[in-house]
Amino acid sequence: MSRIRSAVTAVDRRSFLAAAGAVGLSAGIGAAVGSGGGSGSASAAPAPTASGPATTAAPTPPPTPTGPSAGLTTLESLATPRAGNATFRRLGDGPGWRRVVREQFASAKSGREDRRTVLSSFVQLTDLHVTDVQHPVRTEYVRSESSGAWRPHEALSVAGGVSLIERINALGTGPATGAPLAFAMTTGDNTDNNSLCELDWYLTLMSGGLVTPNSGDPQAYEGVQNSGMRMYWHPEDGAPDADKRLGYPRIEGFLEAALRPVRSPGLALPWYSTVGNHDSLASGAYSDRTGFLAEFAVGTRKLYDIPDPDAVALLARISGGETADGGALISLLRREKRRMRTVTADPRRAPFTPLQYLTAHLDSAHTGAGPVGHGYTKDNLAQATLDYTFPMGENVTGVSLDTTDHGGHFTGSVGTGQLRWLERILKEHRDGYVVLFTHHNSWTMGNKRPDPARPGEARHDGNEVVALLRKHRSAVAWINGHSHRNVVLPHGSFWEISTASHIDFPQLARVVEIADNKDGTLSLFTTLIESAAPRETDFTDLSQSGLASLYRELALNAPGSRQDLAGLKDARNTELLLRR
């Protein structure tokens, strides 16, 4: 096996992993194997275009937040690499990010903070990628050609998710307005490998309860981190491997700790759920029309390593978008049986269908703080749809829209029926405000493969969604994820807000507050938050909170990971003005 190439290939890791089921390509295998963004790498995001006054930072430091949320957001401080030249970077406390006022659509008028009325205040989580790291369909082995194709920290996704929920529960109020937080919304890729066990872990994480992030043999780890394959980080032995050469530590007991039960308090807020490509497709990209991957997922064989030429060829097929039906991966798995190792079969690794996704959300065991179904209703079951509306506050309606291409691929689109439905909602609420929630963002919605359930229906890209929203004054924001990077774009009459993931450093979520300034303008405040995990990591602390802390520091150092996922300053903590 050749040494791991540090340069990221054209395939964005998220895309690839999405397809690979590892989200190492969080966005989807389709994201291609780069390391950081989603299926459609964030670097593809168009540069913001000003249509009014330039973005401005407040000329004087903003007032120090007060109230329950003070000290709990990135306005005050955030986990920051310590000074030094160590190969493996350590984290500590760093300065916060100031709030940037963006006036492309309207000028910020003095005294607005005294006049405003809060219309809605909520938290967005996205791209949690709750991961079964032992899943047989994962394609970790392409790491030989792209260092970002596998994440050394993925085994700790549940512990990291719990810590994020603890931080959200501690907030209480919005940091900009002080209004009580009303709900939380996840914008997709809640799971990583589209497996039943991951769906159960995700729903238990959100609603509260005990999660055991282990599949297969209940007494043993059967993934790549004790395989002897030195292109993976082996935390429990002293032998050199690709990651230890980069400073990764030896941590005795890591794998046992990673598979231990984790207790989640569940969100204290009502929460809603939006579906992503990793929640719908094998590896986030494959439609698996033959059912081969579904059968392989629950079986007794797993591939850990492949020849370099095969890794190169598979990456090229993924990067070229030739992955919709999983043919390239299926062909590889069929001819590499002799290289496979025996693992414990587990029916819980089976992929879940849209119907099972809906049914699980509607299960009373997962209601938590509510509402029942978390946005989905029996009408969704009857109509076989994953789209819904819900009340967000005074005269504000939320719309959750499924942008997955069910014909296969990590990029997204919507059907004609969905686009017409969205238009009806915008018209019905012409005298109010509408916020759209999706997984994909405008620049990663370009795939138009037919939906197998609606083969005669046309598909529509992100530009068409933008054009529709611009036609309706009621649309104020489009909130999404997928790219794993903070991006905020002005679209003529509304703001598109894309938030970084919780699988890749800096592992963020976002508070959004919508306020009427009573002067003909609205302010949309966005404030990023981290998990509650300690920023200082002790490699010997394998408690639940210690693992969450380790999750963040390992993510910072992940080989091939992108370093721009925090986004530009004007895409982090902001006040976004709109004329209304």
Side-chain angles (χ1 to χ4, degrees), residues 85-108:
N85 298 317
T87 304
F88 188 91
R89 294 172 294 167
R90 308 305 305 275
L91 286 169
D93 292 335
W97 292 323
R98 294 177 57 190
R99 193 177 303 283
V100 174
V101 180
R102 296 188 60 171
E103 302 178 87
Q104 279 91 337
F105 299 145
S107 297

Side-chain angles (χ1 to χ4, degrees), residues 22 72 84 88 96 124 160 182 221 237 248 254 268 275 281 295 352 367 401 457 470 493 525 573:
L72 301 178
F88 188 91
Q124 177 208 7
Y221 171 83
D237 67 43
Y248 265 68
F254 176 89
V275 68
L281 300 169
E295 183 177 357
F352 53 85
T367 298
L401 196 66
E457 183 182 50
R470 290 188 63 170
S493 58
F525 294 95
N573 299 329

Side-chain angles (χ1 to χ4, degrees), residues 49-113:
T49 302
S51 59
T55 297
T56 61
T60 58
T64 301
T66 59
S69 65
L72 301 178
T73 77
T74 60
L75 287 168
E76 297 83 26
S77 66
L78 63 144
T80 303
R82 301 177 197 165
N85 298 317
T87 304
F88 188 91
R89 294 172 294 167
R90 308 305 305 275
L91 286 169
D93 292 335
W97 292 323
R98 294 177 57 190
R99 193 177 303 283
V100 174
V101 180
R102 296 188 60 171
E103 302 178 87
Q104 279 91 337
F105 299 145
S107 297
K109 300 178 182 178
S110 61
R112 64 192 184 283
E113 62 276 3

Side-chain angles (χ1 to χ4, degrees), residues 217-241:
D217 187 339
Q219 304 300 323
Y221 171 83
E222 298 176 308
V224 300
Q225 290 188 266
N226 66 355
S227 65
M229 300 290 178
R230 293 300 157 182
M231 66 176 166
Y232 308 114
W233 175 46
H234 285 53
E236 297 190 21
D237 67 43
D241 57 46

Side-chain angles (χ1 to χ4, degrees), residues 5-238:
R5 297 184 180 124
S6 60
V8 175
T9 62
V11 187
D12 174 23
R13 159 190 173 110
R14 266 194 179 52
S15 308
F16 174 76
L17 281 181
V23 135
L25 284 169
S26 197
I29 236 184
V33 172
S35 68
S39 347
S41 104
S43 61
T49 302
S51 59
T55 297
T56 61
T60 58
T64 301
T66 59
S69 65
L72 301 178
T73 77
T74 60
L75 287 168
E76 297 83 26
S77 66
L78 63 144
T80 303
R82 301 177 197 165
N85 298 317
T87 304
F88 188 91
R89 294 172 294 167
R90 308 305 305 275
L91 286 169
D93 292 335
W97 292 323
R98 294 177 57 190
R99 193 177 303 283
V100 174
V101 180
R102 296 188 60 171
E103 302 178 87
Q104 279 91 337
F105 299 145
S107 297
K109 300 178 182 178
S110 61
R112 64 192 184 283
E113 62 276 3
D114 298 322
R115 295 187 299 267
R116 67 172 54 112
T117 299
V118 180
L119 305 179
S120 186
S121 181
F122 61 94
V123 181
Q124 177 208 7
L125 304 80
T126 195
D127 296 85
L128 287 168
H129 287 283
V130 172
T131 304
D132 173 12
V133 293
Q134 302 171 92
H135 197 282
V137 178
R138 287 167 62 82
T139 55
E140 300 104 328
Y141 37 78
V142 300
R143 199 187 196 215
S144 65
E145 299 303 313
S146 176
S147 58
W150 173 76
R151 299 184 180 98
H153 57 282
E154 289 174 331
L156 304 181
S157 63
V158 172
V162 169
S163 188
L164 178 60
I165 286 172
E166 291 172 340
R167 171 52 48 86
I168 293 170
N169 288 346
L171 282 173
T173 63
T177 67
L181 296 172
F183 66 92
M185 165 63 86
T186 72
T187 50
D189 281 4
N190 308 304
T191 65
D192 190 60
N193 300 294
N194 177 231
S195 74
L196 287 169
C197 61
E198 289 176 342
L199 178 59
D200 180 69
W201 300 346
Y202 155 67
L203 290 171
T204 304
L205 180 73
M206 298 290 284
S207 57
L210 195 66
V211 180
T212 302
N214 188 17
S215 66
D217 187 339
Q219 304 300 323
Y221 171 83
E222 298 176 308
V224 300
Q225 290 188 266
N226 66 355
S227 65
M229 300 290 178
R230 293 300 157 182
M231 66 176 166
Y232 308 114
W233 175 46
H234 285 53
E236 297 190 21
D237 67 43

Side-chain angles (χ1 to χ4, degrees), residues 1 117 122 132 181 188 204 241 294 326 344 369 374 405 469 478 526 546:
M1 181 66 64
T117 299
F122 61 94
D132 173 12
L181 296 172
T204 304
D241 57 46
T344 305
H374 305 291
D405 273 309
L469 295 175
W478 179 4
T526 76

Side-chain angles (χ1 to χ4, degrees), residues 72-74 97 122-128 161 163-165 167-168 171 175 184-187 267 479-480 486 497-504 506-512 526-531 552 571-573:
L72 301 178
T73 77
T74 60
W97 292 323
F122 61 94
V123 181
Q124 177 208 7
L125 304 80
T126 195
D127 296 85
L128 287 168
S163 188
L164 178 60
I165 286 172
R167 171 52 48 86
I168 293 170
L171 282 173
M185 165 63 86
T186 72
T187 50
L267 280 169
I479 297 176
N480 50 52
N486 292 314
I497 302 166
S498 190
T499 301
S501 73
H502 205 253
I503 188 75
D504 291 312
Q507 297 180 333
L508 303 170
R510 196 188 294 264
V511 179
V512 180
T526 76
T527 309
L528 294 164
I529 58 173
E530 303 175 297
S531 77
R552 181 162 52 205
R572 301 173 189 171
N573 299 329

